[in-house]
């Protein structure tokens, strides 16, 4: 790559103690089909406790720019550092466990050329297990965009629509404009970013499978403390998405998530109690009180459990909430 020419796309990879899959992940980026474009690959080691930095230091490919934090800073501060140091207008986020298909970057660039109005896009992803075996294949579809309203409704009812960071591409200038990732967050800073980037413009949905995302027990979010921090951080994200909706639709979605989403936290609370983490359980309940009246949450949870037992849960949601949501969306 000519160092005087801005690359078409920058790949940014935060690394922390990821040597188990890191080499495969890095090589999948370096082996991209890049005959029609230039890219740079920015990697920052966040004070790994294994041989990750030793391996990264051995890479001689000139497309790689390697950094290392002086102290451990966490995912979102490290992502922000890399984004600020990237040269390209497009930024493909990357993860140390995952594998890029050879056409990933080419198809991502083509997508943003086709839909220049979007501030971020995501592609379909294929799950793989710890050994790299393919899991259930997702459906593919024609490239398209999703409106601000539909993105907010989907995110509130079903969670982060991208599902990961490794299949996401951001426009650097837009990322800068909204103030980068929220560094006060540990787990859902990406979910919040998808909200703030989609408050005024649609999001891009690349219907092709471009990434293999690994599912294994060593991932960041799989522990009891993580469940507490996700509860603590998710509330603000829900409010962010609700704020993008018109008053009637916002009111209806607020009612819906009190039944459909907030009650699911009771399951995690009970699991924490079962694990005899009583101090964590106490803090969990205190945080849950910010969502709604605690007695109301538990009452709704009991009703949902009964409905599920009689296989009436989905019919309840459809009759009580979904029909009204569809009607309000159509009338907007």
């Amino acid at each position: 790559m000519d160092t005087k020419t801005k690359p078409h796309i920058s790949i940014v990879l935060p690394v922390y103690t990821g040597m188990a899959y890191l080499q495969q992940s890095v090589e999948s980026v370096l082996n991209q089909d890049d005959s029609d474009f230039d890219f740079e690959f920015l990697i920052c080691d966040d004070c790994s406790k294994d041989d990750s930095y030793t391996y990264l230091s051995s890479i001689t490919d000139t497309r790689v720019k390697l950094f290392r934090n002086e102290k451990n800073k966490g995912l979102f501060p490290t992502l922000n550092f890399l984004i600020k140091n990237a040269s390209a207008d497009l930024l493909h986020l990357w993860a140390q466990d995952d594998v890029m298909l050879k056409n990933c970057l080419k198809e991502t660039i083509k997508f943003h050329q086709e839909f220049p109005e979007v501030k971020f896009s995501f592609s379909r992803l294929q799950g793989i297990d710890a050994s790299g075996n393919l899991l259930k294949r997702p459906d593919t579809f024609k490239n398209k965009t999703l409106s601000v309203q539909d993105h907010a409704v989907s995110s509130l009812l079903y969670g982060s629509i991208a599902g990961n960071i490794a299949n996401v591409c951001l426009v650097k200038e837009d990322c800068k404009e909204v103030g980068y990732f929220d560094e006060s967050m540990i787990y859902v800073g990406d979910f919040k970013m998808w909200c703030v980037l989609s408050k005024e413009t649609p999001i891009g949905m690349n219907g092709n499978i471009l990434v293999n995302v690994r599912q294994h027990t060593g991932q960041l979010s799989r522990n009891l403390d993580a469940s507490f921090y996700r509860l603590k951080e998710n509330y603000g994200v829900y409010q962010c998405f609700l704020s993008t909706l018109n008053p009637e639709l916002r009111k209806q979605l607020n009612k819906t998530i009190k039944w459909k989403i907030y009650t699911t936290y009771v399951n995690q609370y009970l699991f924490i109690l079962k694990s005899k983490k009583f101090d964590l359980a106490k803090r969990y309940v205190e945080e849950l009180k910010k969502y709604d009246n605690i007695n109301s949450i538990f009452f709704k949870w009991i009703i949902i459990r009964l409905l599920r037992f009689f296989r009436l849960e989905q019919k309840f949601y459809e009759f009580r909430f979904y029909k009204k949501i569809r009607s309000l969306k159509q009338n907007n």
Side-chain angles (χ1 to χ4, degrees), residues 187 221 223-230 272 277 280 283:
Y187 293 99
S221 59
N223 59 67
L224 290 178
D225 286 334
S227 67
F228 168 74
Y229 285 106
R230 291 180 76 87
I272 293 171
K277 301 284 187 178
L280 180 61
R283 289 187 291 136

Side-chain angles (χ1 to χ4, degrees), residues 32 54 56 59 66-67 72 92 94 100 111 113 134 138 155 182 188 194-195 200 204 216 218 222 251 253 285 301:
Q32 287 291 293
T54 301
L56 293 170
I59 298 172
L66 180 60
F67 306 88
N72 181 264
H92 196 294
W94 194 231
M100 273 191 189
F111 182 92
Q113 291 171 341
L134 298 179
S155 298
D182 187 338
V188 302
W194 312 159
C195 178
E200 298 177 355
H216 62 91
R222 297 190 177 185
K251 183 178 180 180
L253 261 295
V285 167
W301 178 81

Side-chain angles (χ1 to χ4, degrees), residues 17-234:
T17 313
M19 195 57 218
Y21 306 107
L22 182 59
Q23 185 170 354
Q24 184 183 12
S25 174
V26 168
E27 289 178 355
S28 74
V29 176
L30 298 178
N31 291 332
Q32 287 291 293
D33 179 6
D34 64 344
S35 57
D36 300 324
F37 64 93
D38 295 322
F39 72 87
E40 63 176 4
F41 190 8
L42 287 78
I43 307 173
C44 183
D45 181 80
D46 194 21
C47 297
S48 291
K49 296 179 180 179
D50 61 5
D51 293 331
S52 294
Y53 187 69
T54 301
Y55 160 67
L56 293 170
S57 299
S58 72
I59 298 172
T60 58
D61 193 305
T62 57
R63 294 170 297 183
V64 173
K65 297 180 179 180
L66 180 60
F67 306 88
R68 195 181 199 194
N69 291 335
E70 294 182 358
K71 62 180 181 178
N72 181 264
K73 295 184 178 180
L75 174 60
F76 299 115
T78 304
L79 269 177
N80 284 342
F81 169 80
L82 289 169
I83 289 169
K84 292 172 184 178
N85 281 276
S87 303
D89 296 328
L90 291 179
L91 308 166
H92 196 294
L93 309 185
W94 194 231
Q96 64 191 22
D97 300 330
D98 303 329
V99 180
M100 273 191 189
L101 302 189
K102 282 185 174 292
N103 62 335
C104 176
L105 297 181
K106 178 185 288 187
E107 292 299 323
T108 299
I109 293 169
K110 285 172 59 178
F111 182 92
H112 279 266
Q113 291 171 341
E114 183 180 1
F115 300 100
E117 73 276 15
V118 303
K119 296 181 178 180
F120 89 96
S121 70
F122 69 95
S123 71
R124 301 298 280 159
L125 53 83
Q126 169 74 64
I128 56 175
D129 65 17
S131 300
N133 299 309
L134 298 179
L135 303 176
K136 183 179 179 181
R137 182 180 173 86
D139 295 331
T140 57
F141 48 80
K142 185 178 179 180
N143 292 348
K144 59 185 177 180
T145 61
L146 189 68
S147 71
V148 173
Q149 175 182 267
D150 286 342
H151 181 219
V153 171
S154 176
S155 298
L156 287 164
L157 294 180
Y158 307 109
S160 173
I161 193 168
N164 204 276
I165 67 167
N167 57 326
V168 169
C169 182
L170 307 176
V171 177
K172 180 177 179 178
E173 192 59 35
D174 294 317
C175 191
K176 178 181 178 181
E177 186 175 324
V178 301
Y180 303 101
F181 287 94
D182 187 338
E183 296 187 4
S184 70
M185 290 184 160
I186 302 173
Y187 293 99
V188 302
D190 50 345
F191 196 16
K192 181 179 179 181
M193 175 63 88
W194 312 159
C195 178
V196 296
L197 283 175
S198 65
K199 280 189 170 184
E200 298 177 355
T201 56
I203 68 166
M205 300 174 66
N206 190 322
N208 300 299
I209 299 172
L210 302 179
V211 172
N212 288 344
V213 172
R214 200 177 306 271
Q215 300 175 13
H216 62 91
T217 56
Q219 289 168 314
L220 179 66
S221 59
R222 297 190 177 185
N223 59 67
L224 290 178
D225 286 334
S227 67
F228 168 74
Y229 285 106
R230 291 180 76 87
L231 172 71
K232 186 174 183 179
E233 295 173 6
N234 272 335

